[in-house]
Amino acid sequence: MLLTLSLARYRAFSYREIFPTSETLRDIRKDSINFAAGRIFHGSQCQPTHHIMFVKTHKCGSSSIQNILMRYGNRYNLTFVIPWFSNNLGNFANLERFRSDMALPVPRQSYPHYDIFAHHARYNKDVIPSLMPKNTVYIAIVREPTAMYQSAWTYFSLNQRFGVSLNDFAADPHRFYFNSTDNRSLQFARNPMLSDFGLEKEDFDNMTVLQETIDYIDKRFALVMISDYMDESLVLLRQLLCWEWDDVVEFHLNRQNNHPTKLTKKVTDNILAWNSGDNMLYRHFLMRFREKWAMYGDKKMTEDVKKLRLLRKDWKEKCRRASGLHNAVGEKERENCWFLCMHELEFTDRIRVKLWPNYGFEIQYENKKSDGKYCYKNFRVAEAVR
């Protein structure tokens, strides 16, 4: 019965227009004000944004965005909301939403406040806005739900947790889901994107709460990027934050080195019905993304995506040369290559050691291969699965 209701809701919603129409475009001028929220202007020139809150949704290309934010913050000596250990702010196995005691305290002597929130956490609207500066820019990223769900199913080994294949689970998900007591399975087995935004599983079928959640995100977040349009998302992110082009170059980190299995229409429909909340979230912000794209201009977007891809190609060549002859590139370029490819765990460790030296932290996750050769191998794999 539950799946039937969700499927009916999905089908009713799935034909909704996701491209700007005359009705939706009439609010673009008003929306452009929200899009620029948090940007600092001096005269007619915007100033780079240093206060950013990023909802790092699972399996949505979020590690690449996190790497961009961590590189920028590290370069300009900004401070981060960092967990005491590892890389998660909270225990996802307990479905915990973020609390301030999950993060290291602000290192007040040199850094009076937090600047960037970029690690995995279940968003908490009652805590996070009070933790960050008032002019913080809120950003997030979402992904087409079936692709995201298939990736999460594989990455978190949900077939082993539930003891069935994805196809069998999707055919009768409530049978397995509501009989499970494994919270980590429950975290990623239904509407995982909404769960990352802090929506509790008890409210997944409450359309009032679901709509209120999406409305809140719409008002609070200046940009919700779309993983399926990563380069276009980075172009809009650069404009929003008033950063340089080099600041938004990334090498598609943490991509799974395997191609997803092609799903039948029936399985796809079942997944979308079961994750109707995530589908509603995605389609709403895909429409918003299209509106921002229209504001930016299609011709300018095409030109700037090309510019970004050429710059990424140039950096890959620099990093390839850095992995060979030691004098092939400058020291700053070699260092940038190093951070472009640094794993989240090691990067987080290095920030802990840098910002909280009096706590006696050590780099636990240092990758001995974190050099040019490892970097080149990393982005070569990433390119193979694009």
Side-chain angles (χ1 to χ4, degrees), residues 59 62 66 101 107 143 158 178-179 197 213 295 335 341 369:
K59 311 315 297 174
S62 60
Q66 182 194 48
D101 63 355
R143 182 181 180 186
L158 295 184
F178 290 108
N179 287 324
F197 277 106
T213 301
M295 288 162 43
E335 184 180 78
C341 298
K369 297 181 180 179

Side-chain angles (χ1 to χ4, degrees), residues 54-232:
F54 173 53
V55 174
K56 189 176 186 292
T57 45
H58 289 82
K59 311 315 297 174
C60 293
S62 60
S63 291
S64 294
I65 305 300
Q66 182 194 48
N67 179 265
I68 287 172
L69 298 176
M70 292 174 77
R71 284 185 359 243
Y72 188 90
N74 184 60
R75 184 183 310 121
Y76 292 101
N77 296 316
L78 305 180
T79 189
F80 291 81
V81 180
I82 290 283
W84 289 81
F85 58 91
S86 188
N87 61 326
N88 291 331
L89 289 156
N91 187 343
F92 283 92
N94 294 333
L95 298 175
E96 295 177 315
R97 286 194 293 175
F98 176 79
R99 301 187 312 271
S100 58
D101 63 355
M102 294 174 176
L104 281 160
V106 178
R108 297 183 184 278
Q109 290 185 352
S110 303
Y111 308 88
H113 51 68
Y114 294 114
D115 294 309
I116 296 177
F117 191 126
H119 282 71
H120 276 308
R122 292 194 68 218
Y123 185 79
N124 189 335
K125 66 179 181 180
D126 298 322
V127 175
I128 291 174
S130 63
L131 191 72
M132 302 297 293
K134 290 185 178 179
N135 65 344
T136 295
V137 174
Y138 288 70
I139 61 175
I141 187 167
V142 295
R143 182 181 180 186
E144 193 284 316
T146 55
M148 185 274 166
Y149 196 78
Q150 193 173 7
S151 180
W153 184 273
T154 301
Y155 187 82
F156 296 109
S157 302
L158 295 184
N159 60 319
Q160 296 178 21
R161 292 176 181 273
F162 288 106
V164 292
S165 68
L166 174 58
N167 288 2
D168 290 340
F169 179 90
D172 191 9
H174 55 281
R175 169 188 168 195
F176 303 101
Y177 183 85
F178 290 108
N179 287 324
S180 175
T181 58
D182 180 357
N183 280 335
R184 189 165 180 81
S185 299
L186 300 180
Q187 159 73 9
F188 302 110
R190 191 181 188 201
N191 294 322
M193 290 188 288
L194 277 171
S195 183
D196 282 332
F197 277 106
L199 185 67
E200 302 297 353
K201 64 182 186 298
E202 291 79 13
D203 293 322
F204 284 165
D205 291 303
N206 186 327
M207 289 302 294
T208 300
V209 176
L210 178 57
Q211 189 61 57
E212 287 175 351
T213 301
I214 292 176
D215 289 343
Y216 170 84
I217 299 168
D218 204 9
K219 292 175 182 177
R220 169 63 73 176
F221 285 72
L223 176 64
V224 177
M225 293 169 279
I226 304 295
S227 177
D228 314 270
Y229 296 96
M230 179 62 85
D231 287 344
E232 290 82 0

Side-chain angles (χ1 to χ4, degrees), residues 251 253-254 319 322-324 337-338 340-344 346 367-381:
F251 284 168
L253 298 177
N254 203 31
C319 295
S323 70
C337 284
W338 191 35
L340 270 164
C341 298
M342 189 171 289
H343 191 276
E344 173 187 352
E346 180 180 353
N367 192 321
K368 302 302 181 182
K369 297 181 180 179
S370 220
D371 54 20
K373 291 182 180 179
Y374 176 74
C375 177
Y376 184 54
K377 178 182 178 182
N378 202 9
F379 68 65
R380 185 173 58 201
V381 170

